[in-house]
Amino acid sequence: MDQEVKLAELKAKLKNVIKRSVYVYRVDCGGCNGCEIEIFAAISPVYDPERFGIKVVASPRHADVLLFTGPMTRAMRLPAIRAYKAAPDPKIVVAYGACGCSGGIFHDCYCVWGGADSLFPVDVYIPGCPPTPAATLYGLAMALDLLQQKIKGEQLVETEVTRVTPKYEGVCPDLAKDIEREARRLSGYLHGRRIAAQYLEFVREKDPLAVDRKIKELVKQEKDPRLAEIFLSLHKIYMERVGHNAG
Amino acid sequence: MLKLLKKTLQVGQATVEYPFKPVEVAPGFRGKPVYNFSRCIACGACATACPPNAITMDCDLERGIKSWNINYGRCIFCGRCEEVCPTGAIALSAEFELAAARKEDLYCRAEVQLCKCISCGEYFGPSRELEYVLAILKQARLLESGHEGWEQLLKVCPKCRRRKIAGSGAKALGARARF
Ligand code: SF4
Ligand code: SF4
Ligand code: SF4
């Protein structure tokens, strides 16, 4: 216990002292290499962490910060422990990537022990799969107390029953489903959802003739032929239904 | 040396100024999945779709509560939760500054109430999900007549409903056998 308190004190002192020369050593405990690529992207001139004195070194004996990437696999736990022991105290331990934080997508593999915190006391978690270079910089700056933490744990409790309204109010759910499905089929879920929402905005008018006119106008003005085609094929579904219903 | 200086001045600065200035993310960037509690119906589609089980759901039948949990430390930002969510309650944002010193700050937990079966008194489904079903049925105009009956029927748990239907089926069969 005494030793732990002393270590914490030393760590606080370390954070004060190393501001301009931080040596980072990364330990790959069995990841997919995505995280490594992002770390190397982060030390490229575009992000240039050396302007804060952050430098990736090749030996744990020089390290102030240990960056554990990848899930803690059974095969890599001994090398990881050796790297941890080799780094001089006090040191800052960072769990990097979804795998380093909790095992990530590999968390239930037979040979995975979990994140870096299954073996070491972790100071900062940097989530992401992989974290972008900017997220890496942010995490390292946070580990050095240069930046504040932004994310907060949340607890939400329902006290009285909330009414959730359907996504496209005033539109027949069956039609909305077909439109959204076709839009997603043609352009993927992200854009499909946006396009379907835009189209169903028109359908809310209820008057098929007005919808027809507006869509034709929209298609005429649309510069992107792909988008125009998607709108036309959505419109076909709508018109077929309307015609069917009328007949 | 001067030549080099000239060249550098011409080319300009390549290094971004992050973290002193915000950095621009690419369009379509997949960052923190933001959860909108008031739109979630606790259907569990996201928990089923989430590849690394970052989103998990639990039922507490004693307390009558269904809980929704996300672990941002495990999320791989694939966007599948956004893809499958029927109400648009969860969507990926451009937020990437997720680093945390405490593990607890990486969690978000939400609790919704379960509905009590009016027949056997056991908790079975999230109340807001049943409300949502009702709203959808209304919008599809499937509820013109016998509206109250539907509302009552939705508050019966599947087990009791099955028993009821089996009972009425047996009655019908028995009636036919007699004639
Ligand atoms: S967090 Fe993602 S990118 Fe990093 S090692 Fe794990 S799977 Fe690979
Ligand atoms: S983005 Fe993917 S990993 Fe993250 S919570 Fe959604 S489904 Fe799960
Ligand atoms: S899919 Fe959407 S509505 Fe269903 S539980 Fe997940 S967030 Fe809630």
Side-chain angles (χ1 to χ4, degrees):
Chain A
M1 193 63 218
D2 237 19
Q3 210 180 356
E4 264 177 38
V5 173
K6 218 190 269 164
L7 260 184
E9 262 170 32
L10 278 177
K11 212 179 257 180
K13 213 184 258 170
L14 175 76
K15 281 183 184 174
N16 272 333
V17 176
I18 60 171
K19 284 217 167 115
R20 306 296 303 174
S21 75
V22 189
Y23 281 11
V24 176
Y25 180 72
R26 41 156 220 93
V27 193
D28 182 350
C29 309
C32 73
N33 233 22
C35 282
E36 274 64 42
I37 290 169
E38 291 299 316
I39 292 172
F40 290 125
I43 57 174
S44 70
V46 175
Y47 293 93
D48 194 20
E50 280 187 35
R51 69 200 145 124
F52 316 115
I54 296 175
K55 199 165 178 254
V56 175
V57 293
S59 161
R61 296 208 185 274
H62 302 159
D64 305 302
V65 177
L66 287 175
L67 220 55
F68 286 94
T69 68
M72 193 59 72
T73 53
R74 186 179 169 279
M76 277 307 284
R77 72 195 196 282
L78 288 181
I81 290 173
R82 271 174 54 205
Y84 182 81
K85 288 251 159 86
D89 271 335
K91 55 205 158 206
I92 296 169
V93 176
V94 178
Y96 189 85
C99 294
C101 290
S102 67
I105 190 137
F106 304 116
H107 73 101
D108 50 3
C109 285
Y110 66 96
C111 58
V112 168
W113 284 31
D117 55 359
S118 58
L119 291 183
F120 312 117
V122 171
D123 293 298
V124 167
Y125 296 87
I126 306 182
C129 183
T132 59
T136 309
L137 280 193
Y138 172 77
L140 286 178
M142 224 199 83
L144 301 171
D145 284 346
L146 299 177
L147 291 181
Q148 292 295 314
Q149 180 177 327
K150 286 206 176 145
I151 191 171
K152 266 221 129 22
E154 273 183 285
Q155 282 273 0
L156 306 158
V157 177
E158 184 186 32
T159 41
E160 59 186 88
V161 176
T162 326
R163 249 166 226 276
V164 180
T165 47
K167 209 162 38 172
Y168 306 110
E169 251 184 308
V171 180
C172 169
D174 223 23
L175 173 70
K177 184 197 75 193
D178 282 353
I179 295 279
E180 198 169 69
R181 187 175 284 169
E182 179 71 2
R184 284 187 187 197
R185 188 178 74 79
L186 291 171
S187 57
Y189 84 93
L190 194 65
H191 299 287
R193 171 166 281 181
R194 221 197 59 228
I195 293 169
Q198 200 184 342
Y199 183 83
L200 290 169
E201 212 31 64
F202 287 104
V203 173
R204 262 184 219 189
E205 306 243 343
K206 294 274 192 320
D207 177 17
L209 284 181
V211 174
D212 193 42
R213 205 176 51 238
K214 282 203 173 158
I215 293 293
K216 295 251 163 80
E217 220 165 84
L218 182 84
V219 167
K220 210 182 275 170
Q221 279 171 7
E222 184 56 61
K223 292 222 174 63
D224 191 341
R226 297 167 299 177
L227 207 54
E229 196 174 329
I230 293 171
F231 270 119
L232 279 182
S233 48
L234 297 185
H235 193 50
K236 207 169 137 212
I237 295 179
Y238 174 68
M239 286 320 266
E240 262 169 27
R241 276 177 173 256
V242 173
H244 185 73
N245 281 357
Chain B
M1 180 68 199
L2 268 180
K3 237 182 179 173
L4 188 70
L5 202 61
K6 219 166 142 192
K7 185 117 196 175
T8 15
L9 286 176
Q10 262 172 13
V11 172
Q13 188 182 354
T15 308
V16 297
E17 291 193 38
Y18 187 81
F20 305 116
K21 276 196 187 143
V23 69
E24 236 176 71
V25 298
F29 178 82
R30 300 194 306 267
K32 177 188 180 188
V34 173
Y35 178 57
N36 183 349
F37 183 49
S38 61
R39 281 205 63 71
C40 176
I41 54 170
C43 64
C46 52
T48 311
C50 183
N53 304 332
I55 300 177
T56 49
M57 296 195 83
D58 269 316
C59 257
D60 187 342
L61 288 181
E62 304 270 289
R63 283 167 61 221
I65 283 204
K66 192 168 183 182
S67 65
W68 183 98
N69 308 285
I70 187 167
N71 177 355
Y72 289 118
R74 188 172 280 164
C75 173
I76 58 166
F77 306 91
C78 60
R80 286 190 64 180
C81 46
E82 179 182 346
E83 185 178 352
V84 299
C85 181
T87 59
I90 189 161
L92 268 51
S93 66
E95 176 66 36
F96 62 83
E97 292 171 331
L98 300 176
R102 295 185 325 135
K103 207 169 186 182
E104 296 81 62
D105 282 336
L106 291 173
Y107 293 101
C108 171
R109 182 182 163 88
E111 291 183 347
V112 302
Q113 288 171 6
L114 291 179
C115 179
K116 235 183 195 157
C117 171
I118 48 171
S119 174
C120 65
E122 294 236 348
Y123 288 110
F124 69 103
S127 301
R128 39 164 92 184
E129 189 175 8
L130 301 175
E131 290 266 353
Y132 184 76
V133 170
L134 208 62
I136 287 276
L137 287 175
K138 261 184 217 162
Q139 203 164 85
R141 291 181 219 291
L142 289 171
L143 278 188
E144 309 272 37
S145 59
H147 188 129
E148 284 69 39
W150 274 94
E151 235 164 79
Q152 289 302 307
L153 192 64
L154 278 177
K155 288 196 179 123
V156 180
C157 73
K159 236 193 218 159
C160 292
R161 218 178 294 170
R162 223 172 286 144
R163 207 174 295 141
K164 247 188 199 166
I165 290 172
S168 60
K171 223 187 260 165
L173 270 185
R176 211 175 296 147
R178 236 178 280 141
F179 281 98

